[in-house]
């Protein structure tokens, strides 16, 4: 528009209106580009938050400038039409159309139009922004910001990316049942989650086989000896059975009828010795004049009972080393031995 034209005083007001309209259109285009860029980077597992933001800003700025100069920059014809909407007696658009006509009628029309236009203030022309463009810009703004937020959460690992989600839809993840049970439900229990659903290839949660009083854990059906276990790389339904064994009282040599009697540290009562002639060399009795032999620590005339108790003690230490509890019967044997020694 010619800066010296009659519409100059209206130009500034309509210029700002054009800038606002161009900015709205630029925001629509920018947020749309931001949404698309964020969606693509999220889907293809690319850390693209800043990429989507830069794309949105560049598109918004570039398209806003194009919209202004190609569509919304005010021209003399556009200003004339806006002034005519004020309801003046002379039409400004006619004056503009006949601006190069040198006829008397055209000249008079232009002069009359200028006089009428001088009575109009530029503030009488109201800003006009399309409601549809405002709504559209708001919608695309929400979409762009939301998609950028999703991309940021995906980049930080807080949510899964689009490729993984689509992959799960096409090929859903598979879960397997892993169960830990006690044989015949006696002798102990399973501490932890006995029945688990484990994602394919993942590891089950830790469980522990705990023996009841009078029982000991002896192993799992797959040969495992550790009462605590977790199983890796699960790819099928599995059942693991814990075996427990009762600790029988007969396991105590002191109470086993077939076991030798426990030796005594007390010497034999001389009154119970068989009488005999101390002077008789053929006398096998243990008379008062006989010699006393310290054989009270010998079992069956050959085995030192200290060695027997030492074996039980070593067995108890091995069980503690393996994390097992000492059976009450075995504990009683060891305690009785140390009681004798005190």
């Amino acid at each position: 528009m010619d800066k010296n034209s009659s519409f100059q005083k209206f130009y500034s007001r309509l210029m700002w209106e054009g800038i606002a309209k161009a900015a709205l259109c630029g925001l629509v285009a920018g947020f749309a580009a931001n949404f698309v860029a964020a969606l693509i980077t999220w889907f293809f597992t690319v850390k693209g938050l800043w990429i989507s933001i830069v794309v949105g800003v560049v598109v918004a700025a570039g398209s806003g400038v194009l919209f202004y100069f190609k569509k919304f920059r005010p021209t003399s014809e556009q200003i004339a039409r806006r002034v005519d909407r004020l309801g003046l007696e002379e039409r400004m658009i006619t004056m503009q159309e006949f601006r190069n006509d040198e006829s008397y009628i055209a000249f008079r029309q232009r002069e009359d139009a200028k006089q009428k236009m001088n009575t109009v203030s530029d503030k009488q022309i109201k800003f006009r922004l399309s409601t549809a463009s405002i709504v559209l810009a708001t919608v695309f703004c929400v979409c762009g910001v939301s998609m950028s937020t999703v991309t940021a959460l995906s980049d930080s690992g807080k949510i899964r990316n689009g490729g993984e989600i689509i992959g799960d839809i096409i090929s859903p993840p598979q879960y397997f049942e892993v169960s830990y049970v006690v044989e015949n439900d006696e002798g102990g229990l399973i501490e932890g989650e006995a029945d688990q659903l484990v994602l394919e290839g993942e590891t089950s949660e830790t469980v522990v086989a705990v023996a009841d009083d009078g029982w000991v854990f002896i192993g799992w059906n797959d040969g495992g000896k550790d009462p605590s276990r977790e199983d890796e790389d699960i790819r099928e339904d599995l059942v693991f059975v814990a075996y427990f064994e009762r600790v029988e009282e007969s396991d105590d040599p002191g109470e086993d009828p077939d076991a030798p009697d426990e030796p005594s540290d007390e010497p034999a009562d001389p009154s119970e010795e068989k009488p005999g002639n101390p002077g008789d060399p053929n006398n096998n009795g243990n008379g008062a004049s006989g010699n006393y032999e310290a054989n009270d620590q010998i079992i069956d005339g050959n085995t030192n009972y200290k060695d027997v108790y030492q074996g039980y003690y070593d067995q108890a230490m091995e069980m503690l080393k393996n994390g097992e509890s000492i059976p009450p019967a075995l504990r009683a044997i060891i305690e009785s031995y140390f009681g004798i020694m005190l």
Side-chain angles (χ1 to χ4, degrees):
M1 185 186 107
D2 183 4
K3 299 284 187 179
N4 297 319
S5 70
S6 302
F7 301 112
Q8 180 60 40
K9 68 176 181 177
F10 302 106
Y11 180 81
S12 178
R13 190 169 184 82
L14 294 180
M15 177 190 71
W16 287 109
E17 180 183 295
I19 291 174
K21 290 180 178 179
L24 275 177
C25 293
L27 287 175
V28 170
F31 280 118
N34 170 250
F35 175 84
V36 173
L39 179 64
I40 292 174
T41 56
W42 172 71
F43 184 82
F44 288 103
T45 67
V46 177
K47 292 186 179 299
L49 174 63
W50 290 107
I51 295 176
S52 63
I53 292 176
V54 170
V55 168
V57 170
V58 170
V59 171
S63 60
V65 172
L66 288 176
F67 273 113
Y68 178 76
F69 285 101
K70 296 294 184 180
K71 183 173 179 59
F72 298 116
R73 185 172 66 165
T75 62
S76 298
E77 288 78 9
Q78 291 173 339
I79 296 174
R81 291 190 179 92
R82 290 293 295 275
V83 174
D84 283 341
R85 291 174 184 173
L86 298 176
L88 302 180
E89 294 180 3
E90 298 291 339
R91 297 186 68 227
M92 300 299 112
I93 189 62
T94 302
M95 178 188 72
Q96 184 62 23
E97 291 173 351
F98 290 100
R99 64 183 178 276
N100 297 322
D101 191 340
E102 298 299 332
S103 65
Y104 176 76
I105 294 177
F107 174 78
R108 292 305 308 168
Q109 195 278 336
R110 289 196 297 269
E111 291 299 318
D112 293 341
K114 288 179 182 179
Q115 290 179 5
K116 294 295 183 181
M117 187 171 55
N118 290 333
T119 63
V120 176
S121 169
D122 60 328
K123 295 195 175 13
Q124 290 181 260
I125 298 180
K126 305 297 182 183
F127 265 70
R128 296 178 56 200
L129 292 177
S130 171
T131 302
S133 63
I134 296 175
V135 172
L136 197 61
T138 303
V139 171
F140 275 94
C141 174
V142 172
C143 292
V145 171
S146 299
M147 195 67 240
S148 295
T149 303
V150 170
T151 301
L153 293 174
S154 177
D155 290 349
S156 63
K158 290 183 171 55
I159 64 173
R160 304 173 70 193
N161 59 60
E164 293 175 344
I165 294 176
I166 297 300
D168 289 347
I169 294 174
I170 297 174
S171 178
Q174 190 169 5
Y175 289 84
F176 295 102
E177 293 183 0
V178 180
S179 299
Y180 300 90
V181 299
V182 175
E183 184 188 27
N184 299 327
D185 291 327
E186 62 178 3
L189 53 84
I190 303 296
E191 283 192 354
E193 189 174 353
D195 297 304
Q196 304 180 25
L197 276 179
V198 182
L199 181 65
E200 181 179 10
E202 297 297 322
T203 301
S204 66
E205 296 183 12
T206 302
V207 297
V208 181
V210 180
D212 293 337
D213 290 340
W215 294 75
V216 293
F217 172 77
I218 60 174
W220 298 91
N221 62 325
D222 64 345
K225 297 299 183 183
D226 190 344
S228 174
R229 71 181 296 158
E230 60 181 25
D231 297 280
E232 301 177 349
D233 195 26
I234 301 298
R235 298 192 181 276
E236 61 180 337
D237 293 337
L238 297 171
V239 177
F240 297 100
V241 182
Y243 297 122
F244 296 91
E245 185 175 82
R246 185 184 294 277
V247 179
E248 300 292 344
E249 293 183 359
S250 59
D251 290 344
D252 183 353
E255 300 181 5
D256 188 348
D258 296 330
D261 294 335
E262 294 184 15
S264 172
D265 287 337
E266 299 296 331
D269 187 353
S271 65
E272 296 179 359
E273 296 177 356
K274 293 181 179 180
N277 184 1
D280 187 355
N282 296 322
N283 183 12
N284 292 327
N286 293 322
S289 61
N291 295 326
Y292 173 76
E293 295 182 3
N295 62 355
D296 57 317
Q297 295 184 359
I298 304 300
I299 300 174
D300 67 18
N302 185 38
T303 304
N304 190 314
Y305 75 85
K306 179 179 180 181
D307 296 336
V308 175
Y309 278 103
Q310 184 64 41
Y312 285 117
Y313 177 78
D314 292 341
Q315 179 183 353
M317 293 301 100
E318 184 66 23
M319 295 178 71
L320 289 176
K321 180 179 179 181
N322 294 332
E324 303 175 11
S325 58
I326 301 176
L330 182 57
R331 184 186 298 275
I333 293 173
I334 297 173
E335 290 176 351
S336 68
Y337 168 69
F338 284 105
I340 292 173
M341 296 298 294
L342 291 176

